[in-house]
Amino acid sequence: MSSTAGSFEREPVGMDERILADGSSRWPVEAGRYRLIAARACPWAHRSVIVRRLLGLESAISLGIAGPLHDERSWRFHLDPGDRDPVLGIEYLGEAYHAADPDFDAGITVPALVDVASGKVATNGFQDLTLDFSTQWTAHHRDGAPDLYPEEHRAEIDEVIASFYDSVNNGVYRCGFASTQDAYAQAYGELFDRLDALSEHLAGRRYLVGDSITEADVRLWVTLVRFDAAYHGHFKCNRHKLTEMPVLWAYTRDLFQTPGFGDTTDVEQIKQHYYGVHDSINPSGIVPLGPDVSGFLTPHGRAELGGRPFGDGTPPGPVAGSERVPSLA
C-alpha cells in the first residue's frame, strides 16, 4: 500500500506464529506435518526454498509451488494438475488462510507453512521462517548441512541483513510502487547507495559474513538475481543493470552456480509474475523476452577470494525430480 506521502509500505504479515522445537508454541516441529507453500516468482518465498534445500529438509517439509499468476483471490496453483495443490487439494492459497481464520483479511502471502492434516496456515512469518529452519529443525537437517546462522556470527548477520532489508530487499518495491516522484527518488537513492556499499564490502571478500554462505547471503541474493529481469525495468531501478555492477554481478553468478541457488531459480516465472500481475505498472501485461540469462553461468572469479561455500558442511545433492525448475529440467 502507499502512504499519503506516496511511499510504499509493506503490510505486516497476519499469521506470524513460530514453529518451535521446544514445544512452547502451538505448532511443534514435526517431520511430515507441514507443507511449505512457496512461489518461484517471489523473493521472500524463494529464500525459504533455498534454505530448505541447503539444509536437506525436503523429507521433513514437503513443497508446494503456487504459480506466478494470481488474482484478488490470492496465489493459485495453476501449474498443478486440475489447478489444485496435489496434497492440500486447494485451488487458492487463501483457502488455507481462511481455514485457519474465517475472518482473515490481511495479505495472503508466500511463503506459508500449512498444517497438512487441518489444511490451516500455521505461519507466514517470512522473517523468522528461514532462521527457524536453521535453528529449530536441526534434528531433521541432512548430514553435512551447512550452518547458515552460526552463533558466533549471529549479531553480525542480523546487522548486515538489517542494513539492506529496507533499502534493497524492500527498496526495489519502494521504487516500483511509489506514487510520487519524491518518494521514488528517495527510494532510488537509498537503493543504489546501499548497493554501492555492498559492492565495496564484497570487493575483497567472497561472502557477506565470515568465510561461508550464511542467511545474509541468501536474503541479498534473491533480490539481486531478479534485478535485471524485473526490477531494473519494471520497477524503474535503472541507474545500472546488475550486469553493469561488476562486484555484485560476479557475486550473484558465484551463488547462482552454487547448488541450492540457481537450481531453484525460474527467471521465466519471475517475469511472468511481475509483468503479468502488476497491472497498475504494466497494464498491457506484456512479458519481456529478455534478458539473456546465460550470463549467470559464465566464470566469476570469486573463488580466488577464498572461503568455503558450505563451511564444514557439504553441498546438497541433486534436486528431486518433482521439485526441478521446469525451465531447467
Side-chain angles (χ1 to χ4, degrees):
M1 63 181 179
S2 293
S3 71
T4 54
S7 59
F8 170 79
E9 297 177 5
R10 185 165 297 280
E11 294 182 356
V13 296
M15 294 185 177
D16 58 352
E17 290 190 70
R18 306 273 298 279
I19 296 175
L20 301 176
D22 64 5
S24 61
S25 75
R26 65 171 175 151
W27 301 110
V29 167
E30 183 180 328
R33 177 166 181 171
Y34 306 100
R35 185 163 176 80
L36 173 63
I37 300 299
R40 298 201 184 277
C42 172
W44 318 102
H46 190 183
R47 69 195 201 189
S48 69
V49 175
I50 292 170
V51 171
R52 171 181 173 271
R53 171 152 160 66
L54 293 178
L55 298 179
L57 290 171
E58 293 95 332
S59 61
I61 304 170
S62 67
L63 177 65
I65 295 292
L69 302 178
H70 59 69
D71 56 30
E72 68 279 359
R73 291 169 291 183
S74 76
W75 293 91
R76 57 194 181 97
F77 298 96
H78 62 92
L79 301 180
D80 289 307
D83 295 335
R84 292 184 177 274
D85 179 82
V87 172
L88 301 175
I90 57 176
E91 184 179 1
Y92 289 89
L93 179 55
E95 296 174 51
Y97 277 81
H98 292 123
D101 178 1
D103 298 320
F104 185 81
D105 61 0
I108 295 170
T109 59
V110 287
L113 276 178
V114 179
D115 178 57
V116 174
S118 67
K120 298 177 179 180
V121 169
T123 182
N124 70 340
F126 70 98
Q127 293 288 43
D128 290 317
L129 188 63
T130 48
L131 297 178
D132 288 344
F133 281 176
S134 285
T135 62
Q136 302 298 312
W137 288 80
T138 53
H140 305 286
H141 288 182
R142 66 178 174 87
D143 291 339
D147 189 349
L148 301 176
Y149 197 48
E151 285 198 48
E152 67 271 22
H153 291 304
R154 285 183 187 177
E156 185 180 359
I157 290 170
D158 292 345
E159 181 179 0
V160 169
I161 287 171
S163 77
F164 62 72
Y165 169 74
D166 193 56
S167 56
V168 178
N169 293 148
N170 202 41
V172 292
Y173 289 85
R174 292 172 56 217
C175 288
F177 290 115
S179 59
T180 67
Q181 190 70 38
D182 286 347
Y184 164 71
Q186 180 175 346
Y188 179 98
E190 292 174 4
L191 167 66
F192 283 101
D193 284 349
R194 180 52 54 186
L195 290 178
D196 288 343
L198 288 164
S199 292
E200 183 177 351
H201 180 78
L202 287 164
R205 58 189 302 158
R206 193 170 180 186
Y207 305 110
L208 286 169
V209 179
D211 68 350
S212 61
I213 293 165
T214 68
E215 176 80 18
D217 296 294
V218 175
R219 295 194 184 202
L220 176 61
W221 187 84
V222 293
T223 295
L224 296 180
V225 78
R226 288 161 170 76
F227 203 88
D228 287 2
Y231 305 143
H232 177 270
H234 186 59
F235 278 174
K236 307 179 185 69
C237 302
N238 61 353
R239 191 195 75 178
H240 290 102
K241 296 176 181 176
L242 176 68
T243 55
E244 297 166 344
M245 295 181 274
V247 172
L248 294 180
W249 174 223
Y251 169 80
T252 303
R253 299 198 317 273
D254 185 5
L255 288 176
F256 189 94
Q257 294 169 35
T258 300
F261 289 83
D263 57 22
T264 60
T265 302
D266 193 318
V267 176
E268 289 306 309
Q269 288 193 32
I270 290 168
K271 292 190 298 182
Q272 289 165 7
H273 171 70
Y274 283 96
Y275 289 93
V277 169
H278 301 150
D279 53 11
S280 63
I281 300 175
N282 186 41
S284 71
I286 293 172
V287 178
L289 297 177
D292 180 0
V293 297
S294 63
F296 283 123
L297 298 177
T298 59
H300 51 76
R302 297 281 295 176
E304 297 174 4
L305 296 172
R308 303 169 298 153
F310 302 99
D312 294 328
T314 59
V319 179
S322 63
E323 295 188 4
R324 289 178 186 163
V325 173
S327 60
L328 300 177

